[in-house]
Amino acid sequence: DALANELEHISVTEFPKLLESLGSTYCEEEHRRTIKKISSVDDASSDKVITRKAFIDWYIEWLFGDGDSEEESDDESTAGA
């Protein structure tokens, strides 16, 4: 569990390491939007963090979702305009 040590969040800088530890490939270009979407600012430190819940919710959808992301839908709708 990369979110071990009883932490409920990780720094956004740890996202690539976490993703790779799960056997996935990190792609800065692809995951930049993901980090922006699931991160928040920690009140105590003012750092950008990703909560355990936000990561798990995103990761399950990323693995098992139908493949239609909001970004792809936006791109497709403007492509034909």
Side-chain angles (χ1 to χ4, degrees), residues 13-36:
T13 59
E14 296 175 51
F15 181 82
K17 184 178 175 182
L18 174 59
L19 201 56
E20 290 171 355
S21 74
L22 295 169
S24 296
T25 302
Y26 174 75
C27 172
E28 184 177 353
E29 186 177 317
E30 179 182 336
H31 292 112
R32 186 180 310 138
R33 283 183 252 155
T34 299
I35 291 171
K36 192 177 210 180

Side-chain angles (χ1 to χ4, degrees), residues 32-76:
R32 186 180 310 138
R33 283 183 252 155
T34 299
I35 291 171
K36 192 177 210 180
K37 181 179 172 183
I38 67 173
S39 65
S40 58
V41 176
D42 181 50
D43 293 333
S45 66
S46 298
D47 293 334
K48 288 193 89 169
V49 298
I50 299 170
T51 65
R52 176 188 302 262
K53 181 180 180 345
F55 178 80
I56 292 171
D57 290 348
W58 167 80
Y59 192 68
I60 290 170
E61 177 62 28
W62 186 61
L63 286 178
F64 303 111
D66 61 10
D68 290 336
S69 70
E70 293 174 18
E71 291 85 13
E72 290 173 0
S73 296
D74 290 344
D75 291 345
E76 291 171 2

